[in-house]
Every structure is written in structure tokens, then in C-alpha cells.
Amino acid sequence: MKNKKAIIIGASSGIGKGISLGLLENGYKIGISARRKERLDEIKKLNPEMVIVKEYDSSTEKNDKLINLLIEKLNGVDLIIYCSGIGIINKELDYSIEKKVNNLNVLGFTQVVTHAFNYFLKKGEGHIVNISSVASEIGNGISPSYNASKAYQANYLQGLRFKAFRMKMPIFLTDVRPGFVDTDILMGNKDKLFWVAPLDKACQQIIIAIERKRKIIYITKRWKIISLLIKILPERIIRLFF
Ligand SMILES: NC(=O)c1ccc[n+]([C@@H]2O[C@H](COP(=O)([O-])OP(=O)(O)OC[C@H]3O[C@@H](n4cnc5c(N)ncnc54)[C@H](OP(=O)(O)O)[C@@H]3O)[C@@H](O)[C@H]2O)c1
């Protein structure tokens, strides 16, 4: 049987690394990218034949080149996953910080998914996955750009789902919305947070959602409760937490 092929952007740590390892175990050939090459090389060492590595800064608006290169080296691709993301506490509301977050979470994301969608249009099928967040559903006073960028991602993916439906194309778009997962992005604050999912458990659930071509998935499932509360509670209550 032909190997399935996937590209994972932001594979050097956390959720992107976990998904990469899971797909590798499931027999995928993978093209992985991020800035920390040494970490990508550790994944390659596990199965050199099945892993293509490309060190890349995805905040630079040259992601079309990155995706083209990985597609060429993999000789085609079935699944493209955007896991790169940053969130920076910005109590002073410094514009340069907001711009840094948006460059990766908005511009880099948009370039990867538009390029992926257009590639799959030509190919006639495909699957795009993005890791947004439960944060996509509410504003945040201490890191406004993070939550706003995640709202953009979730909305954008829904738009592309509508587009694929209208075009009657079998292009699937999966929006993964984690609550808290135990990765570096929590910056050592794990103990101050609640419902922090172990990384392995989160990645297992994400891989199942990918296999099932789910539209939206909460990681872990209980975060759907928070999503519902965000929708029904008045802002005067919600603002006490954000
Ligand atoms: N963990 C959580 O609680 C949680 C909750 C909700 C959503 N998420 C989302 O999940 C995604 C993955 O985050 P994570 O939790 O796995 O954190 P992480 O371990 O910090 O992973 C972030 C990934 O983004 C990559 N990245 C950062 N800047 C980049 C750049 N300029 N160019 C290319 N890649 C870059 C990093 O690679 P390099 O530094 O090597 O470039 C790394 O591979 C993010 O979008 C995050 O917002 C996480």
C-alpha cells in the first residue's frame, strides 16, 4: 500500500512534534519544519527514510516556497498541518509584540493554508489541519493578539470549509481547539492552570480527529463546556477571567 504523506509546520516541539511522531508511527512519510533544526533532526533520526527536514522561519511570508519544497521532496502530499504558533503576554500593549504574534499566527498561517488549499484544488483532494485554541472564542486583555489571531484562524478555516463545500471538492479542514496542553507555550505556569492535558493524550486525540476528518475538535473534550460557558455567560462575568 502507498504511504500517506503529511507536512507539519511547527514540528520541533509540543503538539507539532507529538503529531509528527504519531503520524510517523502510523506509517506516514512526513515533511517537517520549524526554526530549531537540531530538534527536527532528532525526529529524523528515528526513521531517516520517512522524514524530510527543512529549517524555516514561518513568520517571514515565504511559506509558499517552504510548502513547494516539501511537496517536491515528498513527491506529493495528502495532509498539511499548521502547528506553529506563539503567544506573548503584552500588558504594556506594545505594538511590536502584537506584530510579532500576528506575523506567525495570522500571516504565516494564511500563507500556508491558502497555498495548501490551492494545491489540493489542483490535486482534487486533500486535508488541512490547524491548531487554533479555545482562546479563539473570547478576547484576552493581557495578550490580545494571541486570542484575536486564534479567532482569525478558526474563522478562516470555516470560510475555506464553506468554499470547499460550494466547489464540491473533497478538501477537508480540521480546526483543533485545545484548552491547555502541557507544552513550552505554558511557560512553566502549568500548576497555576486547570484541566492541563498531558501532551501524549492531546496528540492521540488530535490524530484520531484527523483520521476521522473532523471539522472542529476540542482538546480535551471537556473544554467544550468552557466553550459553551463563553457563549452563554454575560461579558460582565466573563471579563473577570480574561
Ligand atoms: N499548549 C497549549 O496549551 C495550547 C493551547 C491552545 C492552542 N495551542 C496552540 O498549539 C500550537 C502549538 O503550540 P505548542 O503548545 O505545541 O507550543 P510549542 O511547544 O511552543 O510549539 C510551538 C511551535 O511553533 C514553532 N514556531 C514558533 N515560532 C516559529 C516561527 N517563527 N517559524 C516557524 N515555527 C515557529 C516552534 O518551533 P521553533 O521555535 O523551533 O521555530 C514550535 O515547533 C500553537 O499554535 C498554540 O497556539 C496550544
Side-chain angles (χ1 to χ4, degrees):
M1 208 179 74
K2 221 176 69 173
N3 281 114
K4 282 207 155 200
K5 295 173 222 168
I7 289 173
I8 305 103
I9 310 295
S12 58
S13 64
I15 296 172
K17 180 178 178 186
I19 295 174
S20 300
L21 296 177
L23 292 178
L24 202 53
E25 245 172 53
N26 289 357
Y28 275 76
K29 187 164 188 181
I30 57 174
I32 55 174
S33 168
R35 293 167 305 173
R36 289 170 292 176
K37 183 166 184 307
E38 67 291 352
R39 296 208 177 198
L40 301 173
D41 286 338
E42 281 168 21
I43 300 175
K44 187 173 174 72
K45 269 191 216 144
L46 298 172
N47 195 342
E49 300 273 288
M50 298 294 274
V51 183
I52 312 282
V53 164
K54 180 65 190 166
E55 172 190 2
Y56 217 78
D57 182 344
S58 281
S59 66
T60 56
E61 285 194 82
K62 289 181 187 149
N63 289 290
D64 50 342
K65 291 191 181 66
L66 169 66
I67 301 294
N68 285 346
L69 186 132
L70 290 173
I71 290 175
E72 195 190 315
K73 291 201 170 179
L74 288 168
N75 194 21
V77 72
D78 308 288
L79 169 65
I80 298 181
I81 309 176
Y82 194 74
C83 296
S84 285
I86 49 169
I88 307 176
I89 303 289
N90 189 7
K91 289 186 180 156
E92 305 302 322
L93 207 58
D94 174 348
Y95 174 69
S96 66
I97 290 178
E98 302 302 70
K99 187 167 168 8
K100 194 172 172 192
V101 172
N102 287 340
N103 281 346
L104 185 67
N105 295 10
V106 175
L107 300 181
F109 157 84
T110 307
Q111 208 178 20
V112 168
V113 299
T114 52
H115 206 67
F117 193 91
N118 288 326
Y119 168 77
F120 289 139
L121 266 185
K122 280 198 197 117
K123 189 182 172 208
E125 62 182 334
H127 189 176
I128 299 169
V129 177
N130 179 61
I131 316 298
S132 70
S133 173
V134 176
S136 66
E137 301 177 16
I138 182 114
N140 187 333
I142 56 169
S143 53
S145 57
Y146 181 74
N147 287 43
S149 67
K150 293 296 171 180
Y152 174 91
Q153 293 181 348
N155 188 295
Y156 201 96
L157 234 61
Q158 186 182 45
L160 292 189
R161 259 200 311 278
F162 292 168
K163 187 174 175 68
F165 172 77
R166 255 200 335 270
M167 296 177 88
K168 298 190 171 56
M169 290 299 291
I171 300 174
F172 300 94
L173 293 117
T174 300
D175 177 5
V176 178
R177 296 187 187 175
F180 296 125
V181 179
D182 190 4
T183 71
D184 295 347
I185 214 170
L186 301 185
M187 293 180 296
N189 290 316
K190 182 184 164 189
D191 295 338
K192 294 184 202 143
L193 302 169
F194 66 102
W195 291 356
V196 179
L199 181 59
D200 281 359
K201 183 178 180 182
C203 292
Q204 272 165 19
Q205 291 189 5
I206 294 170
I207 286 175
I208 292 170
I210 292 173
E211 279 165 2
R212 294 183 182 162
K213 299 193 166 75
R214 293 276 304 274
K215 292 186 179 69
I216 299 173
I217 161 116
Y218 290 86
I219 301 293
T220 53
K221 289 188 193 86
R222 55 168 65 168
W223 279 89
K224 185 109 202 252
I225 302 167
I226 302 295
S227 166
L228 288 174
L229 287 176
I230 287 170
K231 286 182 186 96
I232 58 174
L233 289 176
E235 185 166 321
R236 73 188 147 76
I237 307 232
I238 296 257
R239 71 186 173 194
L240 300 174
F241 301 96
F242 296 88

